[in-house]
Structure formats: C-alpha cells, structure tokens
Amino acid sequence: EKGFHPGVGWQRTTLHIIFDVKQDLRRKARLVAGGHLVDVLDNAVYASTVKSISVQLLHMIAHKADLKQLCGDITNAFVTAYTNEKIFCIAGLEFGEQNVGKTIIIRKALYGLASSAERFHTHLANTLHSFDFKPTRFDNDVWIRADDANNCYEYIYTHVDDFMIVSKDPECVMKQIETVFEVKDSSKGPPDYYLGNDYK
C-alpha cells in the first residue's frame, strides 16, 4: 500500500513461507506471519475447543436418537477471518522487483499471529449464530438448534477448523456451512479417525 505511515499501535513483522509434507504425503505451503516479533497488547488470543466428554455424549445422543453424523474440515481456516491487530511488513524481492520496499498491511488472521485462532473461532461462532444455532450452556463449542420440522435437535461441535454435524439430515447443514467456508472433500463423511480417536 503506497503512502502508508504507521501510527500509534502499529507493529512491524515479517512474512515467510512454511512447507510441510502431511502423513498421507500431501504437500502444503503456507504464508506465515512472524508472530514472535509482535506484542499481543490488548488483543484476545484464547480460543476454546470442544470438551472430550461432549464428543462422547453427542455420539451417544446420535445412537439413541437415530441421528446421522458427518465430519468436516475447513480449508485454510484462519485466513477466512480478519485480524484486529495493527500489523505491517515491508515487501522484499520475493514480491517482485517492482514491489520491493512497499508496505504490506496484514488484514487477514494469518497463521503465526497469536490472535488468529481467536479471530477464526469468533468468525465461525458468528456464522453458526446466523444459521440459528446457539451454544449449549455446558459447552460453548457444542451448538444446537431445532430442525426445520421442529421434530428433533441438530448439533454441531467444533474443534478449531474441524467440526462434526449430528442431525437427521447433516448434508443439509453441511451445505449451509459451505455457503461461507470451503470444506475439504477428503474430510467429509461419518467419523472414522477423528480428533485422535479411531472409531470402530
């Protein structure tokens, strides 16, 4: 961005690429901000995840109420949210000779920033609220609503970018989620190996 002059509260960091090879040999590259160079200041950083007992209870509810279960994993989750942090960096040669020295303002919740998990958690929560889901009193990461026919409840629990839908028609709920987020095709399906648990 040309003509940008950082004022009070702005902090400078760096950007770098991290390469990884997953267990199934898929390769991934991510643009990561140098969060270690940034003071968190007053930004919230805590993001809760579903309790283990909640996962077990929802499996039991699904079994007893004859509900289906459908898992999903949101692609590049953090960068779907915006950061509250005032952060910038200066472009190097990796951005092309014509951009060297230009100021890059970081607007998205990039991986590496301390507040990014909280920013995504809030974005996901706002999305579920817009679909008329409400967090349960026992666990803020278990969401509930009455189904369209008002005959039974539908549930979603969230663990960072992983989620599971428990419903008579979980595919319908999945389509709603996919209006906002991209869900990995390889992650969709009933629980098989999920959150470190091997389901048999």
Side-chain angles (χ1 to χ4, degrees):
E1 196 166 297
K2 290 183 179 179
F4 173 76
H5 301 286
V8 176
W10 283 89
Q11 300 182 78
R12 180 174 171 176
T13 190
T14 57
L15 294 174
H16 58 281
I17 298 283
I18 288 186
F19 297 93
D20 191 19
V21 179
K22 304 241 174 185
Q23 289 179 335
D24 59 3
L25 300 182
R26 284 180 298 140
R27 290 168 290 179
K28 184 147 193 169
R30 262 197 188 129
L31 181 67
V32 177
H36 63 293
L37 302 172
V38 177
D39 190 339
V40 175
L41 300 175
D42 294 327
N43 291 295
V45 297
Y46 176 71
S48 61
T49 56
V50 68
K51 299 173 184 175
S52 296
I53 187 66
S54 300
V55 177
Q56 296 171 41
L57 286 169
L58 280 173
H59 284 307
M60 188 174 68
I61 289 169
H63 178 70
K64 293 292 184 184
D66 195 26
L67 302 176
K68 297 176 185 173
Q69 296 167 286
L70 187 60
C71 299
D73 183 357
I74 295 170
T75 302
N76 297 320
F78 284 11
V79 294
T80 63
Y82 286 89
T83 186
N84 285 336
E85 298 184 60
K86 294 180 176 180
I87 303 173
F88 72 97
C89 64
I90 304 300
L93 273 171
E94 65 274 16
F95 288 94
E97 288 185 18
Q98 72 279 13
N99 293 315
V100 172
K102 289 183 179 177
T103 302
I104 299 170
I105 297 173
I106 298 173
R107 300 194 188 281
K108 292 288 190 152
L110 288 185
Y111 292 89
L113 298 178
S115 66
S116 292
E118 185 279 332
R119 292 282 73 221
F120 171 71
H121 186 274
T122 299
H123 177 40
L124 180 57
N126 290 340
T127 301
L128 294 176
H129 271 297
S130 74
F131 298 151
D132 294 324
F133 279 96
K134 290 182 171 48
T136 59
R137 284 177 291 175
F138 173 72
D139 189 334
N140 284 332
D141 295 293
V142 176
W143 297 76
I144 187 171
R145 74 176 181 188
D147 71 352
D148 289 339
N150 223 25
N151 290 328
C152 65
Y153 288 112
E154 296 178 309
Y155 306 87
I156 295 178
Y157 67 76
T158 60
H159 188 278
V160 192
D161 55 359
D162 291 301
F163 63 91
M164 184 182 288
I165 303 163
V166 178
S167 170
K168 287 278 187 192
D169 186 8
E171 290 82 5
C172 183
V173 181
M174 181 68 80
K175 284 177 183 173
Q176 275 191 300
I177 292 171
E178 289 180 313
T179 62
V180 178
F181 300 105
E182 182 182 345
V183 180
K184 295 175 190 171
D185 286 333
S186 60
S187 71
K188 295 178 194 171
D192 179 22
Y193 185 85
Y194 190 69
L195 299 182
N197 296 302
D198 196 359
Y199 293 97
K200 294 283 188 285

